[in-house]
């Protein structure tokens, strides 16, 4: 049985207190959380000393526990190097240069603060009672301000915390997004926005989404940019344009790193192929990345032709 479901009055929070991602906070809603540098982890870190898949946190019958997945980079829990260990409230663990604090909070701790009593509301002489009565509107204003500040702080804390959700929560989120999209489409119709433009943008969105799913990020990016040029408020085109750019950047960096590795290993044929891919993706010959790839390509080509 999922321990998160078994303890609904508690919240589980992971906060990064040291490392490149310091300040990030994650609210755990899933029974299992993976951590590492790969983008398919629940928590993706920008720490070079962290493995692609470094650790996993599981919620089992005895509570939460963390288990190391990396064979090379050691993990430390509460200051001790270990392969696996239980996690309790205020437990800390270090992977690479990134340190986490694990918190178990009750709903009351997470959402409320102790109430402060206001002076002058007790029984006293008739004179002080009259004075208190005159000040009653002031007390209401002060109380309202305190409540506003309390909920504002609670709202800001929620915004700064990334939720790690299970499949059911994700499905609910998708359903809610679809409902919001339908409502948004109704609003567009009410504002008399050209349906012809919207339909053309939808065709481009579907084309771009198919390319995105098949890993053709450059073609997908072109389609989403065309979509937005026709219909600038298309939220899905805007979102997938950002994701396509990010995927292209990741692919570009991957080929650059791969090319350098081939060069170091004197595998010049593969090295040439990797740097050519970078130049094809960048296109702009004035871009610093293009120039670097071109320079490395010449070295690989010379060494390949020279029979090194």
């Amino acid at each position: 049985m999922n321990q998160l479901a078994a303890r609904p009055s508690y919240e589980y929070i992971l906060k990064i207190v040291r490392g490149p991602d310091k300040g990030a906070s994650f609210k755990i809603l899933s029974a299992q959380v993976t951590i590492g540098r790969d983008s398919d982890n629940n928590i993706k870190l920008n720490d070079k000393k962290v493995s692609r898949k470094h650790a996993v946190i599981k919620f089992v019958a005895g509570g939460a526990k963390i288990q190391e997945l990396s064979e090379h980079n050691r993990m430390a829990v509460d200051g001790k190097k270990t392969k696996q260990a239980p996690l309790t409230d205020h437990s800390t663990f270090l992977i690479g240069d990134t340190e986490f604090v694990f918190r178990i909070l009750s709903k009351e701790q997470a959402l409320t603060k102790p109430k402060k009593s206001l002076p002058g509301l007790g029984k006293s002489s008739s004179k002080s009672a009259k004075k208190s009565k005159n000040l009653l509107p002031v007390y209401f204003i002060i109380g309202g301000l305190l409540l506003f500040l309390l909920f504002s702080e609670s709202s800001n804390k929620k915004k700064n915390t990334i939720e790690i959700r299970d499949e059911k929560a994700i499905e609910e989120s998708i359903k809610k997004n679809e409902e919001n999209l339908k409502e948004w489409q109704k609003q567009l119709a009410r504002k008399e926005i050209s349906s012809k433009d919207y339909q053309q943008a939808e065709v481009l969105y579907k084309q771009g989404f198919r390319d995105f799913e098949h890993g053709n990020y450059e073609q997908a990016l072109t389609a989403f940019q065309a979509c937005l040029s026709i219909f600038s408020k298309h939220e899905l085109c805007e979102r997938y344009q950002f994701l396509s750019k990010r995927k292209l950047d990741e692919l570009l960096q991957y080929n650059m790193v791969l090319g350098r590795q081939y060069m170091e290993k004197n595998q010049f044929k593969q090295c040439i192929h990797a740097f050519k891919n970078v130049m094809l993706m960048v296109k702009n010959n004035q871009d610093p990345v293009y120039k670097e790839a071109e320079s490395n390509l010449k070295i690989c080509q010379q060494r390949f032709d020279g029979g090194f």
Side-chain angles (χ1 to χ4, degrees):
M1 181 179 175
N2 187 340
Q3 291 300 305
L4 297 180
R7 301 179 70 183
S9 60
Y10 288 87
E11 286 187 356
Y12 300 87
I13 305 292
L14 271 179
K15 187 170 182 179
I16 299 177
V17 295
R18 179 154 59 95
D21 301 289
K22 180 181 177 181
S25 183
F26 305 89
K27 181 179 177 182
I28 301 175
L29 301 176
S30 176
Q32 179 170 302
V33 178
T34 56
I35 306 170
R37 283 191 294 111
D38 268 356
S39 57
D40 59 351
N41 287 291
N42 299 119
I43 299 177
K44 181 184 178 298
L45 299 176
N46 297 305
D47 187 342
K48 292 181 180 178
K49 292 186 180 179
V50 169
S51 298
R52 294 182 182 278
K53 292 190 182 296
H54 201 118
V56 60
I57 296 174
K58 296 180 180 179
F59 289 84
V60 293
K65 72 173 184 179
I66 185 168
Q67 182 178 343
E68 189 175 66
L69 301 176
S70 172
E71 293 294 331
H72 308 290
N73 300 319
R74 279 280 79 95
M75 170 182 74
V77 179
D78 293 326
K80 296 179 181 179
K81 290 187 177 181
T82 181
K83 288 286 289 182
Q84 64 177 17
L87 294 177
T88 57
D89 191 23
H90 291 289
S91 283
T92 62
F93 60 91
L94 180 70
I95 56 176
D97 287 332
T98 302
E99 184 176 9
F100 288 82
V101 174
F102 180 73
R103 293 301 317 275
I104 303 173
L105 303 176
S106 66
K107 295 289 186 182
E108 291 75 14
Q109 283 178 301
L111 300 176
T112 65
K113 291 183 177 179
K115 294 181 181 177
K116 293 183 179 180
S117 60
L118 294 173
L121 296 182
K123 292 183 179 179
S124 62
S125 63
S126 59
K127 186 176 180 180
S128 62
K130 187 177 180 180
K131 187 177 178 181
S132 295
K133 187 175 181 181
N134 292 334
L135 290 173
L136 197 58
V138 178
Y139 295 147
F140 278 118
I141 292 169
I142 293 171
L145 284 170
L146 286 172
L147 285 171
F148 173 77
L149 290 171
L150 176 64
F151 284 109
S152 295
E153 185 178 346
S154 174
S155 176
N156 287 334
K157 282 183 179 178
K158 274 192 168 182
K159 287 178 184 176
N160 293 330
T161 301
I162 300 168
E163 292 187 350
I164 301 174
R165 302 170 295 174
D166 57 16
E167 289 184 6
K168 185 179 178 181
I170 292 170
E171 286 174 5
E172 289 175 356
S173 176
I174 291 170
K175 186 178 179 181
K176 188 176 180 182
N177 286 340
E178 288 173 350
E179 290 172 357
N180 289 339
L181 182 60
K182 287 178 183 178
E183 180 59 32
W184 179 67
Q185 288 170 341
K186 289 178 184 176
Q187 289 176 12
L188 292 179
R190 285 197 292 267
K191 290 178 182 177
E192 297 180 353
I193 293 178
S194 170
S195 61
K196 184 179 178 181
D197 287 348
Y198 180 77
Q199 287 169 7
Q200 288 177 349
E202 274 290 288
V203 171
L204 287 165
Y205 163 70
K206 289 173 183 176
Q207 177 187 325
F209 186 74
R210 281 194 297 270
D211 287 330
F212 184 88
E213 280 191 316
H214 289 94
N216 301 322
Y217 303 120
E218 192 172 358
Q219 293 176 30
L221 182 59
T222 302
F224 295 133
Q225 287 171 338
C227 166
L228 290 169
S229 70
I230 295 171
F231 198 84
S232 61
K233 294 182 180 180
H234 199 294
E235 291 183 352
L236 290 173
C237 281
E238 191 174 359
R239 171 173 172 74
Y240 278 97
Q241 177 187 236
F242 169 77
L243 291 174
S244 297
K245 282 181 180 177
R246 191 168 73 178
K247 288 289 186 183
L248 264 177
D249 287 342
E250 289 174 359
L251 196 59
L252 190 147
Q253 290 300 323
Y254 171 76
N255 276 278
M256 282 294 287
V257 171
L258 199 63
R260 293 190 197 104
Q261 289 174 347
Y262 285 140
M263 189 189 296
E264 289 171 3
K265 295 175 181 178
N266 295 330
Q267 296 176 348
F268 301 119
K269 189 175 181 180
Q270 293 90 334
C271 161
I272 291 167
H273 181 71
F275 289 125
K276 275 186 177 178
N277 281 342
V278 173
M279 292 165 67
L280 286 170
M281 283 188 281
V282 177
K283 290 186 175 65
N284 181 7
N285 60 8
Q286 299 303 312
D287 190 288
V289 176
Y290 184 98
K291 290 180 178 179
E292 183 186 357
E294 186 178 35
S295 172
N296 287 331
L297 175 63
K298 287 177 181 178
I299 294 170
C300 293
Q301 189 72 59
Q302 286 173 355
R303 292 184 180 180
F304 180 74
D305 293 340
F308 282 89

